[in-house]
């Protein structure tokens, strides 16, 4: 059983995690009766949280938007995470929120305990940020898409493919995935009747939310790995699969998600799926590694290229 304060925090966390909650479900989660849930909802309202109630058998509770921001309660790790995130945003990783991030960071650091302020500064000092590169994403675009993922609302938007084809898409959004370089939306494309990944920087304007939909079974349990596989090999005409004599963690540390999808096989072996626009670029890419590998699947002509290059290097070593 939870104490009153702990139960209120737990109730607030549940209301933030899902759009609608039947009162009976909340009571079961918190191990109390429905009457206690009603009293706790009134306590949250008194603190400024706009909790809306729907009467009836199918009714329940929903955390809505209010006239003012209610107080936020953060534990130590959450406070550090928010502070580091605001510092990163202030450096322009998401366009349009640099100034507001600085203001919010100033307010947060003013009330941070000394022990946490030191942790935040230590993490910030250890970070080295490389300028340029990734396309900037509008903050409002991220907000609209994230809300649609949370609320299971269809989205309609204009999208340009890598081939330059521009068209309207209607999707059922599932989740946002950030590769450290770009933002991707995993969604079910209704016109194509299949799952797709969409680069957010290729969406023109703001998507338009539509009707709510029942969630589908996700295309994979690990969405980060799913997106990595889709964006690392699918765009390339020449695709190759390798069994590498290295742990998945070791290889993944050297290969960005956009360059290849790494799958663990055992403690010292993993599988890599990658690709290239030019077949001649693959041998040079593989030659940079310090790991042995076996080619499991290869495009036509790759094995012959590898054999010629291996023979050339063997002769060079023998004659030197």
């Amino acid at each position: 059983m939870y104490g009153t304060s702990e139960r209120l925090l737990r109730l607030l966390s549940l209301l933030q995690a899902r759009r609608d909650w039947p009162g009976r479900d909340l009571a079961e989660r918190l191990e109390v009766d429905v009457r206690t849930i009603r009293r706790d909802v009134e306590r949250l309202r008194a603190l400024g949280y706009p909790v809306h109630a729907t009467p009836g058998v199918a009714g329940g509770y929903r955390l809505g938007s209010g006239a003012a921001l209610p107080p936020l309660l953060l534990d130590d790790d959450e406070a550090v995470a928010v502070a580091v995130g605001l510092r990163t945003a202030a450096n322009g990783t998401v366009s349009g929120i640099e100034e507001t991030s600085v203001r919010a960071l100033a307010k947060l650091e003013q009330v941070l305990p000394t022990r946490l302020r030191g942790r935040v500064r230590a993490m910030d000092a250890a970070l080295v940020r490389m300028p340029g590169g990734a396309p900037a994403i509008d903050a409002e675009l991220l907000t609209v898409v994230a809300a649609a993922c949370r609320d299971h609302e269809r989205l309609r938007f204009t999208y340009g493919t890598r081939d330059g084809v521009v068209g309207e898409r209607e999707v059922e959004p599932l989740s946002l995935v950030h590769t450290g370089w770009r933002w991707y939306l995993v969604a079910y494309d209704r016109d194509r009747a299949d799952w797709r990944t969409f680069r957010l920087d290729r969406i023109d304007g703001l998507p338009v939310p539509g009707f709510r939909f029942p969630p589908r079974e996700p295309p994979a349990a690990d969405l980060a790995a799913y997106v990595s596989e889709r964006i690392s090999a699918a765009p390339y005409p020449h695709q190759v699969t390798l069994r590498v004599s290295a742990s998945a963690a070791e290889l993944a540390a050297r290969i960005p998600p956009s360059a290849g999808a790494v799958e663990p096989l055992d403690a010292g072996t993993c599988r890599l799926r990658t690709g290239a626009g030019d077949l001649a670029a693959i041998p040079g890419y593989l030659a940079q590694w310090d790991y042995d590998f076996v080619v499991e699947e290869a495009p036509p002509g790759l094995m012959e290229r590898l054999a010629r290059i291996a023979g050339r290097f063997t002769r060079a070593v023998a004659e030197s």
Side-chain angles (χ1 to χ4, degrees):
M1 295 291 291
Y2 299 100
T4 302
S5 299
E6 186 181 3
R7 192 176 64 245
L8 284 178
L9 291 175
R10 175 66 175 159
L11 174 59
L12 181 59
S13 176
L14 290 173
L15 290 172
Q16 290 174 329
R18 208 169 80 186
R19 184 183 178 94
D20 296 296
W21 277 97
R24 186 168 299 175
D25 288 359
L26 290 173
E28 290 178 359
R29 290 290 189 99
L30 298 176
E31 302 175 13
V32 295
D33 54 33
V34 176
R35 182 177 299 177
T36 302
I37 294 296
R38 286 198 294 266
R39 288 198 298 265
D40 285 349
V41 165
E42 290 302 324
R43 292 188 179 102
L44 289 178
R45 288 170 177 165
L47 291 173
Y49 295 97
V51 183
H52 305 306
T54 305
V57 177
Y61 298 96
R62 174 187 300 181
L63 185 62
S65 57
L69 181 68
L72 296 177
L73 300 175
L74 303 175
D75 61 27
D76 286 3
D77 290 338
E78 289 171 340
V80 171
V82 171
V84 173
L86 288 171
R87 284 177 179 267
T88 303
N91 281 277
T93 53
V94 179
S95 66
I97 63 171
E98 298 89 348
E99 183 181 348
T100 52
S101 297
V102 171
R103 294 201 307 266
L105 180 61
K107 293 179 181 179
L108 179 60
E109 290 195 335
Q110 184 178 3
V111 297
L112 277 179
T114 303
R115 67 181 189 280
L116 298 186
R117 193 176 295 117
R119 286 175 58 185
V120 171
R121 289 174 179 171
M123 292 184 66
D124 190 60
L127 293 175
V128 177
R129 299 174 178 87
M130 296 183 64
I137 301 299
D138 183 72
E140 190 174 0
L141 172 60
L142 277 175
T143 302
V144 170
V145 175
C149 293
R150 179 197 62 196
D151 299 335
H152 308 303
E153 293 178 338
R154 294 180 189 172
L155 286 177
R156 179 178 291 276
F157 51 80
T158 302
Y159 188 76
T161 67
R162 63 178 179 273
D163 301 323
V165 179
V166 178
E168 292 293 318
R169 300 293 185 94
E170 184 178 17
V171 304
E172 298 175 1
L174 174 63
S175 180
L176 284 169
V177 176
H178 189 226
T179 65
W181 183 253
R182 291 189 174 95
W183 286 94
Y184 290 87
L185 168 65
V186 179
Y188 186 84
D189 192 317
R190 292 176 55 82
D191 293 329
R192 290 155 184 79
D194 197 6
W195 290 97
R196 292 288 191 272
T197 56
F198 300 93
R199 272 177 48 177
L200 258 63
D201 58 291
R202 288 178 176 163
I203 294 178
D204 185 19
L206 288 179
V208 179
F211 296 106
R212 297 188 67 187
F213 61 89
R216 298 177 184 269
E217 185 71 22
D222 187 344
L223 289 181
Y226 172 79
V227 171
S228 175
E229 183 174 353
R230 297 293 294 267
I231 67 177
S232 61
Y236 302 112
H238 306 292
Q239 301 180 25
V240 59
T241 302
L242 309 171
R243 187 170 71 253
V244 184
S245 298
S247 68
E250 187 179 3
L251 190 62
R254 299 189 57 177
I255 297 178
S258 57
V262 180
E263 173 192 347
L265 296 178
D266 54 44
T269 312
C270 64
R271 178 175 287 116
L272 172 68
R273 293 182 175 87
T274 186
D278 182 3
L279 187 64
I282 297 179
Y285 176 61
L286 300 180
Q288 301 175 36
W289 295 356
D290 296 326
Y291 312 118
D292 292 336
F293 60 87
V294 174
V295 179
E296 294 185 337
E297 297 179 16
L302 177 61
M303 301 305 295
E304 291 78 2
R305 284 179 178 269
L306 291 177
R308 286 199 303 270
I309 292 174
R312 188 180 306 129
F313 275 87
T314 300
R315 293 190 296 272
V317 171
E319 297 174 6
S320 297

